[in-house]
Amino acid sequence: MEYILEAKQLRKEYQDKVALKGLDLQISAGEIFCLLGQNGAGKSTTINLFLGFIQPSSGAAYINGYEVASNVTQVKEYLAYIPENVMLYPNLTGMENLALFSSLAGFDYSKEELMHYLVQAGLPADAVSRRVGGYSKGMRQKVGIAIAVAKHAKVLLLDEPTSGLDPKASNEFSELLLNLSQQGTAIFMATHDIFRSKEVGTRIGIMREGELVDVQPAANLNANELENLYLNYMHVAR
Amino acid sequence: MKKFWILIKFEWLNFRADKGLLILTILTLFAGLYGIYYGTTEINRQQENIAALDVLTEQNIEELKAKYPNGTDAGDIGYYHTTFAVNHPDSWASLSLGQRDVNPYYIKLRLLNLQSQLYDTENINPLKVLSGNFDLAFVLVYLFPLLIIGLCFNILSVEKEQGTLPLLLSQPIGLPLIVGAKLTFRMMLVLGMALLLSVVAMVWGQVSPDMRVAFWLSVVVLYCLFWFGVAFVVAALQKNSAFNAITMLGVWLLLTIIIPALLNVYIAVKQPMPQALELTIKQREVVHGGWDKPKRETMDKFFALYPQWTDTTEIQGRFAWRWYYAFHHLGDVAVADLALDYQEGLQARHQLVEQLNVWSVPVNVQTIFNAMAGSDLPSYVSFLQSATQYHDSLREFYYPFLFNQVNFTNADYVNEPRHSFTSSPDFATVHAGLYKLALSVLLVFAVGMLLFRRIKASVK
């Protein structure tokens, strides 16, 4: 089976620390994989390796069948990324920021289309023409979501994407993820939010000290069971 | 390539929205326009003064004609008649005034001893000299690097510090494309401004449209590229904006102030030379001593130099113009070696500057601009030599009147030689300087590329 997103014995070592210990992972089209773990567990390292921001010490990450390390620019055509804290060009408007990132991804949208993506992501219509320097964190996050959605990527990499969103916007974001998943987008989400994971995830992984210690289908667990499982692993870690 | 132009377009949008950068750019543009105005005004002023010298000379002749309607001894005319050796500016001088504000552009000459007249020039306002010329060359050499530093010090670091780099690099573009587009946009902006100002200055200054147009524009482009290369090297180190700004300002300070100051000290020590004052004092001592020496002794020395006048009449009485001009000339002869040393010393110092300016690109570029505009030291030395030849021609004109004791009539003024010297460009210096400048640009970009490849990109 062809996986959209795959890691084979993916390992990352720094001078005095092993950040990721031989990760094996396969994610198919339409799947939402939620990765839970404490700070420093290796979630962001995994995402950075898939993005090609850092080079693996050994093993390989693949996106749409291409090894990331040797095809860094090419694989980015297939992925979109929403960081924990979306930072944009403060002197440009929300619409100009979206136009920039969309055009770099190869999409030349009209103003109406740009407006549609921004409003769909939850940004108030009257804010799209204001400079981003005056946006709240939540508003920037919504522009980040619009950038990711407008890219029509096969893979969506999310690093704490709902950080800074209010509950209503978080809920809308969950619906958006489910919608994208139904359209065939593979989603990899690193998060601390157990309940959001249970709500949207197809599979849920738990990472501890650079190691993927457990992977469960989300359907097999209810929220309480997932929380207990997670806390048990974290307790062992302590 | 399309993504490259997309990045350029958004760099423009970012630039347009950044008031600080806009103000800096507009200020530099106005500084350039003022530099053009300053240079053109200064050269116009010099040309007006030079034109007024002709009027002064004619007025002086009319006064002498009125004073001596039936002619007089040529000695009277040689003493009271003033003429001028004039250094006309090259048409390019308004772009780079060089030393035209420090060294005299005309010398008032009479038939008296030459050396005291060569260095008997007007006082210069030391404060004005201290502040230097605010011509276009100054703006391009010293202020444009500051604009480039202001535009480029955070070319990559700002993306990290404002957190936009991860999102940018998650698009199908690489770091080299981002840095390349950012540098290209800034190059287009700065080079556009520098070339526009240069063309405006050429049109305003009505320069002669020769190969110097291409040389000037090439130097401007290469010099700006050198500073972009410095920005590239600093960006390749991938440090924070504060580090970059301090480093680039440090490089600017080093190349425009510290190294030139050190070179100045080194050259003064390495190439000591007699002072014009020393020469003038010695010459004055010889000339004034002439009054007390036996006339026969003075004339014998003079006739040894000019045997063609040996058979002229004996000097009789207490005073004769022939004798007076003879001991004045012997004063010049007495310091001839010193005068030659002085002029050769000036040339040697300039040659040393040309050799050592490889250590400071701004000094090299200033040297090129001055050489192109004929406003450098060698041009001034050529003017001194031309003035010396003119004084010789004056003596040759007056000596037959003096030694043959022929009356100088009003009809003889028209035959008096006139002086004209126009500074000319020194293309050898321009070629050598361009070669060094091109090498500097290649070197700095090579270092930048090396660092950029060796230092791994980090998005944090």
Side-chain angles (χ1 to χ4, degrees):
Chain A
M1 182 180 176
E2 183 89 354
Y3 298 109
I4 297 291
L5 194 141
E6 189 174 11
K8 289 181 182 172
Q9 281 300 300
L10 190 60
R11 184 179 176 87
K12 181 65 186 175
E13 293 172 15
Y14 293 102
Q15 282 175 340
D16 54 350
K17 186 189 168 193
V18 180
L20 197 61
K21 299 172 182 171
L23 174 69
D24 283 305
L25 180 69
Q26 296 84 29
I27 299 172
S28 308
E31 191 175 8
I32 301 178
F33 187 94
C34 297
L35 187 64
L36 294 170
Q38 289 179 310
N39 290 332
K43 305 188 299 294
S44 294
T45 299
T46 307
I47 287 182
N48 284 340
L49 284 163
F50 277 117
L51 282 163
F53 288 172
I54 51 176
Q55 295 285 312
S57 303
S58 62
Y62 296 87
I63 286 181
N64 202 32
Y66 293 98
E67 188 189 356
V68 174
S70 52
N71 302 282
V72 176
T73 306
Q74 191 180 359
V75 297
K76 286 171 189 167
E77 290 177 10
Y78 308 114
L79 65 83
Y81 168 57
I82 303 178
E84 179 182 0
N85 195 1
V86 173
M87 298 306 292
L88 303 160
Y89 292 99
N91 288 328
L92 302 184
T93 65
M95 188 179 280
E96 285 170 338
N97 269 282
L98 176 57
L100 165 64
F101 289 106
S102 299
S103 53
L104 286 174
F107 298 93
D108 290 322
Y109 292 120
S110 65
K111 277 191 175 179
E112 290 72 26
E113 288 169 319
L114 293 169
M115 175 74 115
H116 164 75
Y117 282 115
L118 287 165
V119 171
Q120 186 193 37
L123 194 71
D126 62 345
V128 296
S129 298
R130 289 209 309 263
R131 286 192 183 184
V132 164
Y135 280 16
S136 66
K137 186 185 175 190
M139 289 166 84
R140 291 200 310 272
Q141 213 66 15
K142 287 168 184 170
V143 177
I145 292 166
I147 290 168
V149 172
K151 195 172 176 181
H152 298 290
K154 288 188 173 183
V155 176
L156 190 53
L157 297 172
L158 310 170
D159 193 356
E160 301 285 348
T162 53
S163 170
L165 292 184
D166 57 50
K168 179 174 175 286
S170 291
N171 192 51
E172 285 169 359
F173 182 66
S174 296
E175 286 176 16
L176 185 72
L177 290 186
L178 290 168
N179 191 23
L180 289 172
S181 164
Q182 283 167 9
Q183 292 169 29
T185 307
I187 299 169
F188 180 92
M189 179 163 72
T191 181
H192 295 291
D193 191 338
I194 293 170
F195 298 101
R196 189 71 57 198
S197 301
K198 167 62 190 153
E199 185 182 34
V200 299
T202 313
R203 281 188 297 156
I204 297 167
I206 297 173
M207 184 165 266
R208 190 187 67 199
E209 295 174 354
E211 199 171 354
L212 188 62
V213 290
D214 200 353
V215 177
Q216 294 285 338
N220 289 0
L221 301 165
N222 62 35
N224 284 338
E225 288 168 340
L226 176 60
E227 186 177 22
N228 287 334
L229 183 69
Y230 177 72
L231 289 175
N232 277 340
Y233 278 116
M234 296 309 112
H235 179 70
V236 171
R238 282 195 290 270
Chain B
M1 201 61 192
K2 189 184 172 192
K3 287 168 189 169
F4 182 77
W5 289 109
I6 290 168
L7 286 168
I8 297 249
K9 177 189 162 190
F10 281 92
E11 278 302 310
W12 161 247
L13 291 179
N14 258 321
F15 169 77
R16 201 181 58 178
D18 191 325
K19 282 183 185 152
L21 286 183
L22 270 180
I23 290 170
L24 177 68
T25 309
I26 290 169
L27 278 178
T28 311
L29 187 66
F30 276 107
L33 289 172
Y34 177 73
I36 295 168
Y37 167 77
Y38 180 95
T40 314
T41 306
E42 174 63 22
I43 291 301
N44 285 343
R45 189 183 67 81
Q46 291 189 6
Q47 281 171 332
E48 283 168 14
N49 287 344
I50 287 169
L53 297 177
D54 286 340
V55 179
L56 278 177
T57 305
E58 290 309 314
Q59 282 176 353
N60 177 248
I61 289 172
E62 291 308 314
E63 284 168 10
L64 290 172
K65 281 180 178 175
K67 189 175 179 182
Y68 306 110
N70 301 317
T72 183
D73 191 312
D76 290 319
I77 306 302
Y79 191 83
Y80 293 110
H81 177 38
T82 306
T83 183
F84 296 93
V86 180
N87 184 1
H88 292 280
D90 183 273
S91 66
W92 282 74
S94 63
L95 276 73
S96 182
L97 293 169
Q99 301 211 355
R100 282 196 71 91
D101 66 329
V102 183
N103 295 321
Y105 53 90
Y106 68 87
I107 296 170
K108 186 175 161 185
L109 286 177
R110 291 188 291 163
L111 197 57
L112 311 181
N113 61 81
L114 169 71
Q115 294 300 333
S116 66
Q117 299 183 84
L118 278 185
Y119 308 106
D120 182 18
T121 56
E122 290 177 11
N123 282 337
I124 298 165
N125 182 347
L127 285 176
K128 189 169 176 293
V129 175
L130 188 69
S131 62
N133 287 318
F134 204 100
D135 54 8
L136 181 62
F138 170 80
V139 174
L140 290 172
V141 174
Y142 297 97
L143 300 188
F144 260 69
L146 291 176
L147 172 66
I148 294 171
I149 290 170
L151 288 171
C152 297
F153 76 97
N154 60 357
I155 195 163
L156 184 57
S157 55
V158 71
E159 297 288 348
K160 293 183 180 181
E161 286 158 15
Q162 72 188 10
T164 40
L165 193 59
L167 207 53
L168 201 56
L169 282 176
S170 70
Q171 307 307 320
I173 52 172
L175 199 59
L177 187 78
I178 296 168
V179 174
K182 281 169 167 279
L183 272 178
T184 304
F185 168 74
R186 284 154 178 79
M187 282 178 190
M188 285 162 62
L189 182 74
V190 172
L191 288 178
M193 267 175 63
L195 295 178
L196 175 72
L197 286 170
S198 297
V199 171
V200 168
M202 288 172 196
V203 173
W204 198 341
Q206 296 177 322
V207 303
S208 57
D210 52 33
M211 61 197 299
R212 280 177 287 180
V213 174
F215 281 137
W216 181 280
L217 297 180
S218 304
V219 170
V220 168
V221 170
L222 285 172
Y223 184 60
C224 289
L225 285 180
F226 169 79
W227 283 102
F228 279 111
V230 172
F232 181 46
V233 169
V234 173
L237 293 172
Q238 299 203 38
K239 303 283 185 184
N240 61 47
S241 297
F243 174 89
N244 294 349
I246 290 168
T247 304
M248 291 181 74
L249 284 173
V251 172
W252 181 83
L253 200 67
L254 189 74
L255 294 182
T256 59
I257 295 172
I258 297 172
I259 289 181
L262 291 175
L263 288 181
N264 207 24
V265 172
Y266 175 77
I267 287 166
V269 172
K270 179 83 177 170
Q271 186 65 51
M273 53 180 287
Q275 294 296 308
L277 179 65
E278 181 189 345
L279 188 151
T280 309
I281 289 171
K282 186 176 176 189
Q283 194 253 14
R284 276 173 67 91
E285 283 171 356
V286 174
V287 169
H288 287 273
W291 289 101
D292 303 323
K293 286 184 179 168
K295 292 186 179 63
R296 183 72 258 169
E297 183 186 327
T298 299
M299 295 314 292
D300 284 347
K301 282 185 183 172
F302 181 81
F303 290 145
L305 295 169
Y306 295 94
Q308 66 268 39
W309 307 118
T310 309
D311 295 333
T312 55
T313 53
E314 278 287 313
I315 306 295
Q316 292 176 344
R318 292 187 61 196
F319 181 83
W321 282 116
R322 306 190 292 290
W323 163 71
Y324 177 79
Y325 289 116
F327 75 70
H328 264 260
H329 180 62
L330 291 177
D332 282 338
V333 172
V335 294
D337 289 345
L338 216 52
L340 190 66
D341 284 351
Y342 177 68
Q343 292 191 6
E344 284 180 350
L346 288 177
Q347 293 275 26
R349 277 193 172 184
H350 184 75
Q351 281 167 4
L352 204 54
V353 170
E354 280 192 35
Q355 286 167 17
L356 295 174
N357 67 20
V358 71
W359 296 105
S360 168
V361 175
V363 172
N364 180 30
V365 170
Q366 183 73 66
T367 308
I368 298 172
F369 282 156
N370 290 350
M372 226 182 280
S375 58
D376 55 359
L377 188 62
S379 184
Y380 171 64
V381 173
S382 298
F383 168 60
L384 288 180
Q385 288 165 352
S386 170
T388 303
Q389 286 166 6
Y390 175 54
H391 190 263
D392 289 345
S393 69
L394 283 177
R395 288 192 299 112
E396 283 169 20
F397 175 69
Y398 281 101
Y399 280 177
F401 289 100
L402 288 168
F403 290 98
N404 294 330
Q405 299 187 62
V406 176
N407 205 33
F408 192 94
T409 67
N410 289 353
D412 291 317
Y413 287 106
V414 291
N415 298 321
E416 188 189 39
R418 288 279 179 271
H419 178 263
S420 183
F421 173 87
T422 302
S423 295
S424 53
D426 174 6
F427 285 112
T429 298
V430 174
H431 290 149
L434 256 172
Y435 176 68
K436 281 185 272 188
L437 180 59
L439 278 181
S440 307
V441 173
L442 285 176
L443 181 71
V444 79
F445 271 96
V447 171
M449 293 292 280
L450 198 69
L451 286 173
F452 201 70
R453 287 183 178 198
R454 282 184 62 182
I455 298 176
K456 287 183 179 170
S458 138
V459 294
K460 303 293 181 191

